[in-house]
Amino acid sequence: MSAHRDIDAELRFHFEARIEELVAQGMSHDEARARANAEFGDVDATRRSLREIDSRIARRRNRAEVLDGMLQDVRYAARSLWRTPAVSITIILTLALGLGVNAAMFSLLDVIFLRPPAGVVRPAELRRVWSERTFRDGTRFWPGFDFSQFSAVARQLEGQADLIVYGVPSQRKLGHGETAPKASVAAASATYFSVLGVKPQLGRFYTTDEDRVETLTPVAVVSDAFWKREFGGDAATVIGRQITIDDQRLTVIGVAPAGFSGTELTATDVWLPMTTSLGPRASLRKPWWQNPNINGFQVVLRLHPGAPESELAQRATAALRRKGIGWAQDTATVAAFGSIIAARGPGTLKAETAVATRLGGVALIVLVIACANVINLLLARAVKRRKEIAVRLALGISRARLIRMLVIESVLLSLLATVAAILAGQWGGALLRVLLMPEVRFAASPLDGRVFAFSLALAIAAGALAGLVPALQSASPELTSALKAGSRDGVSHRSRLRNALIVCQAALSVMLLIGAVLFVRSLHNVKQVDIGYAVDRLAFATIRFDTRDSARDAALGARIRALAPRLASIPGVQAVGFTGMRPKFGISWTDFFPDVDTVAGKKPSGFYTAVSPNYFSVVGTRLIRGRTFDPDPMRSLPPTVIVDQAMAERVWPNTDPIGHCVHFDSPNAPCATVIGVVQTNLFQSVNEKPEPRFYVSLDHPPFKAHDESEIVLRAPADRLVALQKSVAELLRAEFPGAIPITTTMSAVMEPEYRPWQLGATLFSLFGGLALLVAGIGIFSTVSYAVSQRTHEFGVRVALGARASDVLGQVLGEGLRVVAVGVVTGIIMAYLSGRLLASLLYGIAPTDPLTMLIVAVILMGIAAIAALLPAWRASRADPVAALRTD
């Protein structure tokens, strides 16, 4: 290199000059060279040092030049964008749309799938425990355990892992009264905080002695957010303060550190010892820690260094298979360890979460469509600047510098779009949380540093990608033709790339629209399913008290049922019935012994519901044969039972069950006669495998059934809101101090319909956005093509072409390109249909009618987008066109 040669020459000059000086002083040439070598020392080291100094100076100079050049390019880009505000604003809004959708989706998916719980120490060492179990609808991994299962696993893994058990946070009343606020409360073992590595901010955490299963210790640990919200962040008085949760008085003994809100998506406000939280709700037959019906606890472990994870999973499996462990003995149970992030475990994702994952891909598709549109706009803009670019090249600017200038323009546009995208991401992220997971109270805002960094990186990448293609094309023009370019030169400029981008936009839009239509039709299909209830005409009501009173609670059911005449007199009420438990609220179970051998010796499930005699007619459940219960509560009658069709077919196949005998609790219990068969109703979900169940009378149950009563009201759909208010007022008057609780069957069913409702809403929204962007792209592309071919159209008109001919030609050319995109999109949707198959209901992802509907919609939008430019082309002035340069 020249710098290195200069250094060598300089060193050589000084060395030779010194030799000549020494020779002049009387030394021989050899003596002078030896003396000079001694004086100069290590020349190679000096040379390396000088070269390093020179390199540092050169790097600083180059960095300064590059930075100065970048600043010049940024100023040039800003001036260039300012000169074409309409195009710039269109590009910014288009990119903001695509980036905002992705920012919103990332803010949700980051919390669900990527981010470990805040405040937890070394989360990579933590494992959530799952078990593969057999359910009514098949075999799947499940994260819920009862306490005996946790204890068995903890004993088996002792010494190689530290385990914790806790309950998923639930909303519980903070204080007394109907308007008392709710707090998110979780039961957790005493080891919970230490295993997670959490230290108290104030006070202390409860100890193992305070968390003994036999002892109810009224203490609580609160979160930092709860402390600041409820106690104003007063550190001096919070420890020792009393709080009331449901009907329990508790003493605050500690405050968790800031940022820590538990290990679940729902932020926890208060942690209680296990028995303190669960003791008052223990089963009458067994305490909670021995009762397999009290389950759903989460188990998490921290591995000791060097502990063999696969071996521990096998030992946990052996513990779960032991006799007497769990609700039902299952020798096929398999334990598995997964990430502390629940959504990354082996279990099946919730339908809402599965929809969210698909929407993440949809958001990227929207961004790709937006980028394709931006590329088209930049290509059109670049063609108009061909002469400017050619002049710059002719004046000596390098092609690399020119490409950099043009890419900087697009990156600057994307950075400006990021500001709007962040705002859209904040609003959209909050909206997605409400829509997809309304039951979750997230601890942090949708917008944080991770979302901002993701949006910024995505914006730079999208801007660079969108600007690179036009830059590469613009940097290689034919200088002579570009410098001579005039209006008629546009005749030959028909970019295959622009058409390819339109095909891409159309194809991706078709995929999104097909998904939207599939979800809309799935929602329609699922709402048409006869679930055995008049969904839009039912309301339920009951009451709760702040404190328990066994004498009052024992008579409560009868007192509620005695209100039937007064309830029936409320305007709008068409019928009144009662049930021990409303649909989808929970389950009641007892031992069930029919008078025949069951299939393969398997005892049928004993799920039941206690109902009033007119319950079936009120809720809309069909009585298939037989009769319902006797309406006179005072008559003494033999025990009776009504079974649903699923139980009749399982227990008495090919036989009329009417008149058969059933025993409850034990085979020697008195016989209850089957008097009716009703249709099989919803049990837990609309797409479940029907589970047999039976019904007993609220007034004459054949065994000791739950004596709670919920009011069931049938009324026109438009009267249900007013009806709930009237019923609540009546219950307040009849039961002073009680808290009325009312709801509708539509609200009960809303979580069931939510996945399809969300898919229909969000896919339609994203598909609509994609369609809007694609429509803008089609309009801008056709408009640009028309503007470039003004001379051609003028000549055609001058030669006798009719306006309709030109209109048809432009429309035909535009629609042909879109048609190719539609066909491509249908093929892509067909190939990727399996990604949506599990989320649909009653319709195949390759449904031909859906694809036809979408094709017609997109072709219609394309025709509308191309119509105005085509109309302009048909009105081309031949005189003006022929005069153009």
Side-chain angles (χ1 to χ4, degrees):
M1 295 187 296
S2 59
H4 293 175
R5 287 195 297 270
D6 291 342
I7 290 172
D8 290 341
E10 185 74 13
L11 287 174
R12 192 179 306 110
F13 168 77
H14 287 289
F15 186 75
E16 296 296 336
R18 180 56 176 162
I19 290 175
E20 292 178 1
E21 181 180 348
L22 292 173
V23 169
Q25 293 176 2
M27 290 185 180
S28 66
H29 190 274
D30 291 338
E31 291 175 339
R33 176 173 293 278
R35 177 72 177 271
N37 280 328
E39 291 178 353
F40 273 77
D42 190 346
V43 177
D44 290 337
T46 302
R47 181 184 293 109
R48 286 195 299 271
S49 176
L50 292 174
R51 287 180 176 179
E52 184 178 346
I53 293 171
D54 184 76
S55 296
R56 286 200 300 268
I57 295 172
R59 285 196 297 270
R60 283 197 298 269
R61 183 170 58 249
N62 291 338
R63 283 198 298 267
E65 291 175 355
V66 170
L67 181 60
D68 183 64
M70 292 283 285
L71 291 175
Q72 291 179 20
D73 292 345
V74 170
R75 288 194 292 268
Y76 166 76
R79 289 195 302 270
S80 176
L81 297 177
W82 184 258
R83 287 198 298 269
T84 55
V87 176
S88 300
I89 291 173
T90 302
I91 292 174
I92 289 172
L93 293 179
T94 302
L95 280 174
L97 184 65
L99 293 170
V101 166
N102 279 271
M105 283 308 309
F106 178 79
S107 71
L108 181 65
L109 296 178
D110 179 44
V111 174
I112 296 175
F113 290 100
L114 303 178
R115 187 181 305 186
V120 173
V121 176
R122 301 188 305 279
E125 297 177 2
L126 297 172
R127 299 290 184 272
R128 188 180 295 267
V129 184
W130 301 72
S131 64
E132 187 179 32
R133 296 161 56 189
T134 302
F135 294 84
R136 294 188 305 273
D137 55 352
T139 300
R140 66 179 185 272
F141 281 98
W142 182 254
F145 296 86
D146 63 51
F147 195 78
S148 68
Q149 292 173 316
F150 159 73
S151 300
V153 173
R155 288 192 297 270
Q156 189 72 23
L157 304 187
E158 187 174 3
Q160 292 189 294
D162 298 320
L163 276 74
I164 61 175
V165 60
Y166 63 93
V168 175
S170 60
Q171 295 297 309
R172 294 167 67 174
K173 281 180 52 178
L174 185 65
H176 295 296
E178 191 172 343
T179 59
K182 296 286 186 71
S184 179
V185 181
S189 61
T191 56
Y192 178 84
F193 301 100
S194 60
V195 170
L196 296 179
V198 178
K199 304 294 183 183
Q201 178 180 181
L202 296 171
R204 63 179 179 86
F205 297 139
Y206 45 84
T207 64
T208 304
D209 288 337
E210 293 170 318
D211 188 40
R212 294 184 183 276
V213 293
E214 304 89 351
T215 305
L216 191 155
T217 307
V219 295
V221 173
V222 300
S223 69
D224 176 79
F226 181 87
W227 167 49
K228 292 175 179 175
R229 184 175 70 245
E230 298 296 331
F231 302 137
D234 186 355
T237 61
V238 62
I239 305 301
R241 289 281 292 271
Q242 297 286 307
I243 60 175
T244 300
I245 294 178
D246 291 339
D247 57 351
Q248 289 183 282
R249 294 284 291 174
L250 304 166
T251 301
V252 177
I253 61 171
V255 178
F260 177 73
S261 58
T263 58
E264 302 298 304
L265 284 179
T266 297
T268 302
D269 292 322
V270 182
W271 291 271
L272 306 179
M274 299 293 289
T275 297
T276 302
S277 177
L278 301 169
R281 302 178 182 182
S283 166
L284 296 176
R285 297 183 179 181
K286 293 181 180 179
W288 70 267
W289 61 90
Q290 297 174 350
N291 194 330
N293 290 320
I294 299 179
N295 50 44
F297 298 124
Q298 307 294 297
V299 176
V300 171
L301 58 85
R302 184 181 291 277
L303 297 169
H304 289 185
E309 188 171 339
S310 59
E311 179 183 327
L312 295 188
Q314 293 175 1
R315 291 168 58 184
T317 297
L320 293 175
R321 292 182 178 181
R322 287 178 183 166
K323 186 176 181 180
I325 299 297
W327 185 73
Q329 191 65 31
D330 187 354
T331 56
T333 298
V334 176
F337 297 161
S339 168
I340 184 63
I341 303 173
R344 288 164 57 178
T348 303
L349 293 176
K350 290 183 177 180
E352 293 87 343
T353 307
V355 170
T357 60
R358 307 312 192 270
L359 287 173
V362 168
L364 288 175
I365 291 175
V366 172
L367 180 61
V368 172
I369 295 173
C371 287
N373 198 24
V374 169
I375 292 173
N376 249 335
L377 291 171
L378 290 175
L379 282 171
R381 186 168 177 268
V383 171
K384 291 185 178 180
R385 299 168 61 189
R386 291 177 70 243
K387 184 175 290 188
E388 171 198 343
I389 292 172
V391 169
R392 287 182 173 275
L393 288 170
L395 292 176
I397 189 174
S398 68
R399 297 186 188 276
R401 176 70 181 277
L402 180 61
I403 292 172
R404 189 180 74 184
M405 289 171 55
L406 296 176
V407 170
I408 284 176
E409 283 187 22
S410 64
V411 171
L412 182 60
L413 286 168
S414 65
L415 291 177
L416 293 173
T418 304
V419 178
I422 291 296
L423 297 177
Q426 167 75 11
W427 177 83
L431 178 62
L432 286 173
R433 288 182 174 189
V434 171
L435 289 175
L436 286 163
M437 299 179 174
E439 73 283 355
V440 174
R441 185 172 64 82
F442 291 90
S445 165
L447 182 62
D448 59 12
R450 289 165 64 98
V451 176
F452 180 80
F454 169 82
S455 301
L456 186 61
L458 191 63
I460 293 173
L465 176 65
L468 186 60
V469 175
L472 290 174
Q473 280 208 346
S474 301
S476 302
E478 293 291 337
L479 289 182
T480 305
S481 62
L483 291 170
K484 293 180 178 179
S487 297
R488 72 176 65 184
D489 184 64
V491 174
S492 61
H493 294 300
R494 302 179 188 178
S495 172
R496 292 182 180 177
L497 176 59
R498 287 197 296 274
N499 287 340
L501 292 170
I502 290 296
V503 169
C504 173
Q505 293 182 67
L508 295 176
S509 297
V510 163
M511 291 183 64
L512 299 190
L513 289 174
I514 286 176
V517 175
L518 287 172
F519 271 108
V520 169
R521 296 184 65 189
S522 292
L523 180 62
H524 176 268
N525 291 342
V526 77
K527 286 192 173 183
Q528 298 306 306
V529 175
D530 182 8
I531 62 173
Y533 304 104
V535 174
D536 59 345
R537 301 183 64 186
L538 298 180
F540 301 94
T542 188
I543 57 172
R544 295 287 184 271
F545 288 91
D546 282 328
T547 56
R548 295 176 176 271
D549 184 328
S550 57
R552 179 191 60 205
D553 294 346
L556 192 58
R559 289 184 62 191
I560 290 177
R561 294 195 292 276
L563 295 176
R566 295 173 61 186
L567 291 165
S569 66
I570 296 176
V573 174
Q574 296 173 331
V576 179
F578 300 92
T579 178
M581 188 174 295
R582 67 176 181 263
K584 286 184 61 61
F585 187 69
I587 60 173
S588 297
W589 188 90
T590 189
D591 287 325
F592 180 91
F593 301 94
D595 58 358
V596 295
D597 291 334
T598 56
V599 177
K602 183 179 180 182
K603 189 174 75 171
S605 61
F607 298 112
Y608 74 90
T609 302
V611 299
S612 62
N614 66 338
Y615 171 81
F616 303 109
S617 62
V618 173
V619 301
T621 299
R622 288 182 291 107
L623 180 66
I624 296 174
R625 55 184 175 272
R627 64 178 178 86
T628 185
F629 301 114
D630 191 285
D632 186 355
M634 304 305 295
R635 292 179 61 185
S636 179
L637 299 170
T640 56
V641 64
I642 295 173
V643 299
D644 68 6
Q645 195 168 11
M647 178 163 280
E649 292 173 353
R650 175 172 305 179
V651 180
W652 300 280
N654 305 317
T655 304
D656 187 353
I658 303 298
H660 277 269
C661 183
V662 176
H663 305 275
F664 300 107
D665 288 338
S666 75
N668 300 321
C671 169
T673 304
V674 178
I675 62 171
V677 178
V678 297
Q679 74 177 105
T680 302
N681 284 0
L682 169 79
F683 184 69
Q684 287 296 332
S685 66
V686 293
N687 56 2
E688 70 178 357
K689 182 180 179 181
E691 182 69 20
R693 68 163 46 195
F694 61 92
Y695 299 85
V696 298
S697 171
L698 272 171
D699 297 315
H700 303 288
F703 55 89
K704 186 178 180 181
H706 295 294
D707 193 35
E708 296 182 5
S709 288
E710 292 209 24
I711 302 164
V712 187
L713 302 165
R714 188 183 182 101
D718 58 354
R719 294 285 302 168
L720 289 179
V721 174
L723 182 63
Q724 291 181 80
K725 295 180 180 178
S726 299
V727 172
E729 291 174 1
L730 187 155
L731 292 175
R732 288 191 195 96
E734 183 65 22
F735 302 95
I739 301 171
I741 300 171
T742 64
T743 187
T744 64
M745 190 67 195
S746 297
V748 171
M749 289 300 299
E750 191 276 333
E752 282 299 305
Y753 297 144
R754 188 188 301 159
W756 297 286
Q757 183 73 62
L758 288 172
T761 300
L762 295 176
F763 266 78
S764 297
L765 175 62
F766 286 7
L769 293 177
L771 196 59
L772 174 64
V773 174
I776 293 173
I778 294 168
F779 174 80
S780 60
T781 300
V782 176
S783 294
Y784 168 75
V786 168
S787 67
Q788 290 292 298
R789 299 168 63 187
T790 302
H791 179 79
E792 174 193 340
F793 293 138
V795 171
R796 286 177 178 272
V797 172
L799 293 175
R802 293 175 299 177
S804 59
D805 295 331
V806 176
L807 182 68
Q809 178 188 354
V810 176
L811 274 176
E813 290 177 355
L815 293 181
R816 276 196 296 272
V817 175
V818 176
V820 174
V822 169
V823 173
T824 304
I826 289 175
I827 295 172
M828 293 167 64
Y830 184 88
L831 296 176
S832 60
R834 59 184 179 81
L835 298 175
L836 289 181
S838 63
L839 302 177
L840 303 177
Y841 190 94
I843 189 170
T846 55
D847 179 64
L849 179 59
T850 298
M851 295 182 178
L852 178 62
I853 291 172
V854 170
V856 171
I857 291 173
L858 191 57
M859 292 302 294
I861 295 295
I864 294 171
L867 189 60
L868 180 59
W871 179 78
R872 273 205 318 266
S874 69
R875 297 177 62 84
D877 183 358
V879 176
L882 292 172
R883 286 177 177 172
T884 55
D885 190 11

